[in-house]
């Protein structure tokens, strides 16, 4: 697998990009908002909502561009666009200016995830190879996640929080330089003269019209529902409930990243049946349990253990869900299907943002975070009958010698059938 030069370059790009992005996000954005500007829960929620909406717009645009020009060019362009946004965040002297810069950073930064998550079908073929490639790319991103927050914490202590954004700029430039040397087939898979909105509509039709894709996309929405509360409350969890300084956001997210790497490494080694709708449902249910373990105590040692366990589950879940998307998405629609899943992730984070600050003022930060994990587990377990039906339909189609892609032909737009 690692003899594949293009895959190695994508892995390196993902590592560098995620290191800079996670340092900028967890220490730069969250840390500056909570500790430098002393933002309230409502202010953090408003900023996180703006980030999520900007990311949704960016990822929708990226999905169309990926299917037009390929993930390599989109990744390079998005990395370069993060540079002015990060520099603006570093120079912000007021909270409104900082929020605007953070939103611009999300608009450019989240499409780097969309592009990175779309590479595998352009590099390898077959379920086993896709699973290994996605796990390798995700492991690299998780390793970057390990380095990023810790790097951000060290840079923040040594040179001040604005310097974290400068470090992110350096990482973005290096990542774009590495991605330049990736060589994949970037021939458009559909007529580029179609209006972009029509292409977005076609992508939604495919994403929602193919039942296995729809299930995985909606399951991903549930998976990140609990994380939406974290987007608004995790800095306050460390500041108010645990009563520690800014650097602990970076340190604990580095510990969390260790779990992500272990989970991504473990995912291709799980029993074959896990690569199924039912397996995905169980793994997402475990994500909710893992989040409860992370925030169920204020003891830093136990939080660290919970961070590793939760990270391990998420590290396995991400490549699992992505591989299922790649297996069922028509190749010409990979970018738009991945972007649909990505903005559904943002929707999953947005929903609790409207309630989390208010609920935290009533019940406290920690109980609200625990409740988010409970909701994820219950909904995921409730979806298992649907997952079993999807897996049974796939088995029946294989047993009857039905061409798998024939099952999705009716969901394709008339222009490409």
């Amino acid at each position: 697998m690692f003899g594949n030069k293009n895959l190695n370059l994508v892995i390196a790009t993902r590592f560098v990009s995620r290191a800079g992005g996670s340092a900028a996000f967890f220490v730069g954005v969250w840390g500056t908002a909570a500790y430098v500007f002393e933002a309230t829960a409502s202010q953090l929620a408003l900023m996180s909502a703006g980030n999520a909406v900007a990311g949704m717009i960016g990822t929708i645009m990226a999905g169309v561009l990926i299917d037009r020009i390929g993930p390599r060019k989109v990744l390079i362009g998005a990395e370069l666009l993060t540079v002015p946004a990060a520099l603006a965040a570093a120079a912000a002297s007021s909270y409104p200016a900082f929020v605007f810069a953070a939103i611009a950073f999300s608009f450019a930064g989240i499409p780097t995830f969309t592009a990175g998550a779309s590479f595998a079908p352009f590099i390898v073929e077959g379920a086993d190879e896709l699973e290994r490639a996605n796990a390798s790319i995700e492991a690299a991103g998780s390793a970057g996640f390990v380095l990023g927050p810790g790097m951000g914490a060290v840079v923040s202590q040594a040179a001040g929080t604005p310097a974290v954004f400068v470090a992110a700029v350096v990482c973005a430039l290096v990542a774009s330089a590495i991605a330049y040397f990736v060589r994949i087939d970037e021939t458009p898979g559909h007529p580029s003269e179609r209006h972009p909105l029509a292409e977005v509509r076609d992508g939604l039709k495919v994403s929602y019209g193919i039942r296995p894709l729809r299930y995985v996309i909606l399951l991903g929405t549930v998976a990140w529902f609990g994380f939406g509360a974290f987007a608004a409350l995790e800095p306050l969890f460390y500041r108010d409930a645990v009563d520690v300084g800014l650097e602990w956001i970076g340190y604990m997210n580095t510990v969390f990243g260790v779990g992500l790497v272990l989970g991504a490494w473990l995912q291709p080694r799980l029993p074959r049946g896990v690569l199924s709708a039912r397996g995905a449902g169980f793994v997402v249910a475990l994500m909710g349990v893992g989040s409860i373990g992370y925030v169920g105590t204020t003891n830093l040692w136990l939080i660290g253990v919970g961070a590793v366990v939760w990270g391990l589950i998420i590290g396995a879940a991400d490549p699992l869900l992505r591989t299922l998307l790649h297996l069922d998405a028509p190749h010409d629609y990979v970018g738009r299907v991945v972007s649909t899943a990505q903005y559904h992730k943002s929707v999953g984070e947005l929903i609790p943002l409207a309630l989390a600050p208010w609920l935290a003022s009533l019940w406290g930060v920690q109980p609200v975070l625990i409740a988010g994990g409970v909701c994820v587990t219950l909904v995921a377990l409730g979806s298992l009958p649907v997952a079993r039906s999807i897996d049974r339909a796939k088995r029946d189609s294989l047993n009857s010698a039905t061409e798998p892609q024939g099952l999705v032909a009716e969901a394709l737009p008339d222009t490409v059938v």
Side-chain angles (χ1 to χ4, degrees), residues 9-28 30 75 78-79 82 105 108-114 116-117 134-152 164 167-176 178-179 224 227 234 250 253-262 264 287 310-312 314-319 322 342 345 349:
L9 289 171
V10 172
I11 287 171
T13 300
R14 192 75 188 100
F15 170 75
V16 175
S17 175
R18 188 76 183 274
S22 59
F25 182 70
F26 287 105
V27 180
W30 281 9
L75 179 61
E79 292 287 0
T82 64
F105 184 80
I110 290 182
T112 67
F113 282 75
T114 309
N134 278 318
S136 299
I137 294 169
E138 189 59 35
S142 299
F145 189 100
V146 171
L147 175 65
M151 176 182 71
V164 177
V169 166
V170 173
C171 289
L173 294 175
V174 172
S176 61
I178 297 172
W224 292 101
F227 195 81
E234 188 179 18
N253 276 288
T254 291
V255 174
F256 176 75
V258 172
L260 290 177
V261 174
L262 292 174
M287 284 179 63
W310 191 32
L312 189 150
I314 295 177
D318 270 353
R322 190 171 306 144
Q342 184 68 44
K345 172 183 173 180
E349 296 174 356

Side-chain angles (χ1 to χ4, degrees), residues 35 236-245 248 298 300:
Y35 287 84
L236 302 185
F237 173 69
Y238 283 105
R239 189 187 73 183
D240 299 339
V242 187
D243 193 24
V244 292
W248 281 98
T298 57
L300 283 171

Side-chain angles (χ1 to χ4, degrees), residues 27-28 30-39 92 95 98 156 160-162 239 246:
V27 180
W30 281 9
T32 301
Y35 287 84
V36 176
F37 292 108
E38 298 181 341
Y95 189 64
F98 177 76
S156 176
T161 306
R239 189 187 73 183
L246 158 67

